[in-house]
Amino acid sequence: MRIGLIGLAGSGKTTCFEALTGVPGRHGSPRDNVAVVTVPEPRLDRVADIYKSRKRTYPEITFLDTPALEVGHGPAAVEKQLARLAHEADALALILQCFGELDHNGRPLDPRGDLESLLLELAIADLSLTERWLERLRSQPKKERSAYEEHFVERLRTHLQAGHPAFRLDMTPDEAKLLRGMSLITTKPLMVVANVADDDLEDQRGQAAMDFAASQGLPGLHFCATLEAEIAQLPSDEQLAFLQDYGLAEPARDRFIRTAYELLDVITFLTAGEREAHAWTIPRGLRAPEAAGKIHTDFGRGFIRAEVVAFADLDRYGSLAECRKHGVVRLEGREYVVQDGDILDIRFSR
Ligand SMILES: Nc1nc2c(ncn2[C@@H]2O[C@H](COP(=O)(O)OP(=O)(O)OP(=O)(O)O)[C@@H](O)[C@H]2O)c(=O)[nH]1
Ligand SMILES: [Mg+2]
């Protein structure tokens, strides 16, 4: 899973990147900072203990810290950057400056205004791309045109003109495929981060922006990036004590990851044996063969059935043998929809 951090100049993107990854970033760089973090998964630890697995593989998130978005210079200025992000990221986190009195340009801080103009900028970039797409379609000889595609792109344009993000458009699977080929930025799930001052952890100033985000259906969270970045540098056994000094129960990274999982509507299933215990992140609603295919294409193609036990049952009974005795190990077929926390043993033929 790849999450792109975007925002205005000096909003604290790189500091957030440092807070989320614990990796030092280059500040003010025209290039991305990139780092991979492992997602804490206590269920994997428990399962690995039970199976005495020699190796533990946690889910991973790649964070991309991107250069500042330059708004107000017309679509061309940001289009290239956004097209690249649309290609490279699965979701975006928009970082809002909610610390200090003045923004990067010396104007009074206005997080809500910043959020509105950034959302507008994204919508305008997509609209301009969509209009160019439509022109190109219409410039083709009539015989070679796809009326289906033209009709869809027209509908998309109307939707964007009304100020709605592309991911909200009702689409058939074929239309969704067309849309993916267009690399629009508003197809990406978006969350909002209010980067607040360390003496404003209750987020008084970011509140108007967060309320606006909520009104747009965008999940939000707030934290102080400089504070969290400092804490992320500490040895892990010292982090909790520092967080508690500030009345915080957990690092911002953990809250951020939970919000991102909800935003992307993904779940985690596990596989386990003596060799390895592995946590896999998949979209909610996948059937067993599709989930198995994420592990290995052979598992998906040759899927026969899966032996399934829920984490809560394995945790309660302490071993697979005990689970069998209590009748909580199930055999599931091709139609089974994988649930969060399932431990799967997949049977397949080559
Ligand atoms: N007080 C305070 N300062 C912050 C916070 N987050 C970032 N800053 C400061 O704001 C300045 C810019 O932070 P960066 O993280 O480099 O911001 P950026 O968005 O990556 O900047 P560009 O990449 O140049 O657009 C730095 O001096 C940071 O120390 C915060 O939560 N509180
Ligand atoms: Mg930066």
Side-chain angles (χ1 to χ4, degrees):
M1 188 193 303
R2 296 166 70 86
I3 300 182
L5 307 180
I6 61 171
L8 295 173
S11 56
K13 299 175 293 299
T14 303
T15 313
C16 280
F17 169 85
E18 293 173 329
L20 295 168
T21 64
V23 174
R26 289 159 308 190
H27 286 264
S29 166
R31 305 237 316 269
D32 286 355
N33 290 299
V34 183
V36 181
V37 304
T38 53
V39 177
E41 179 51 84
R43 292 175 297 186
L44 181 72
D45 294 321
R46 173 76 173 128
V47 168
D49 287 343
I50 290 173
Y51 282 81
K52 303 191 172 50
S53 312
R54 289 189 293 278
K55 185 178 167 202
R56 299 169 188 217
T57 305
Y58 295 85
E60 289 180 341
I61 297 183
T62 303
F63 285 100
L64 307 168
D65 165 37
T66 67
L69 287 176
E70 297 202 30
V71 305
H73 299 277
V78 287
E79 243 173 46
K80 235 175 142 175
Q81 187 181 353
L82 293 179
R84 188 175 59 80
L85 266 171
H87 194 66
E88 290 184 1
D90 300 307
L92 302 173
L94 199 158
I95 317 298
L96 288 176
Q97 180 187 347
C98 302
F99 60 85
E101 301 302 326
L102 304 174
D103 71 11
H104 190 71
N105 294 315
R107 286 192 285 259
L109 208 59
D110 178 15
R112 185 197 154 126
D114 289 348
L115 177 56
E116 282 188 72
S117 55
L118 280 164
L119 292 179
L120 189 63
E121 200 73 20
L122 303 186
I124 289 173
D126 276 2
L127 187 57
S128 120
L129 234 156
T130 303
E131 273 166 353
R132 286 210 308 276
W133 194 279
L134 199 56
E135 271 169 35
R136 197 162 55 230
L137 283 178
R138 286 177 175 161
S139 70
Q140 288 164 5
K142 203 144 196 147
K143 273 183 293 184
E144 289 165 26
R145 276 193 232 169
S146 152
Y148 173 77
E149 183 172 1
E150 195 175 329
H151 177 72
F152 169 69
V153 179
E154 274 169 7
R155 197 160 71 81
L156 174 64
R157 182 182 59 176
T158 309
H159 177 82
L160 291 169
Q161 274 170 339
H164 305 303
F167 76 88
R168 286 270 156 71
L169 186 64
D170 282 326
M171 283 171 285
T172 65
D174 282 340
E175 289 176 332
K177 216 162 145 191
L178 281 177
L179 184 63
R180 272 200 297 280
M182 293 175 68
S183 293
L184 298 188
I185 196 71
T186 64
T187 57
K188 299 292 159 181
L190 178 69
M191 58 194 267
V192 178
V193 172
N195 181 14
V196 302
D198 61 4
D199 58 0
D200 185 27
L201 294 180
E202 297 300 320
D203 185 30
Q204 292 307 317
R205 247 172 324 162
Q207 202 51 54
M210 288 291 110
D211 291 346
F212 178 68
S215 78
Q216 302 298 301
L218 303 174
L221 73 164
H222 63 271
F223 56 84
C224 172
T226 43
L227 176 65
E228 296 279 350
E230 273 172 41
I231 293 173
Q233 293 296 318
L234 298 172
S236 49
D237 54 335
E238 289 173 27
Q239 291 187 8
L240 203 60
F242 269 83
L243 287 164
Q244 279 165 352
D245 282 348
Y246 286 90
L248 300 166
E250 57 179 350
R253 184 193 63 166
D254 293 5
R255 276 194 291 143
F256 185 101
I257 290 173
R258 275 204 304 280
T259 307
Y261 267 52
E262 275 168 38
L263 176 69
L264 283 158
D265 206 18
V266 290
I267 62 163
T268 302
F269 77 89
L270 303 122
T271 53
E274 278 189 14
R275 196 175 63 78
E276 185 188 16
H278 197 133
W280 306 87
T281 307
I282 55 165
R284 188 189 304 282
L286 286 196
R287 292 180 202 284
E290 299 167 290
K294 300 280 174 188
I295 303 174
H296 197 293
T297 44
D298 284 352
F299 285 18
R301 258 203 307 264
F303 181 90
I304 300 169
R305 59 181 178 272
E307 202 177 53
V308 184
V309 58
F311 174 77
D313 289 328
L314 185 65
D315 186 35
R316 182 178 318 133
Y317 296 120
S319 77
L320 195 63
E322 282 300 309
C323 285
R324 282 194 214 287
K325 273 189 205 156
H326 288 86
V328 294
V329 180
R330 293 166 279 137
L331 271 183
E332 300 283 4
R334 304 187 67 83
E335 295 304 309
Y336 178 68
V337 175
V338 175
Q339 303 296 307
D340 189 41
D342 277 352
I343 296 124
L344 297 188
D345 187 7
I346 291 147
R347 307 289 158 78
F348 72 105
S349 64
R350 280 182 200 279

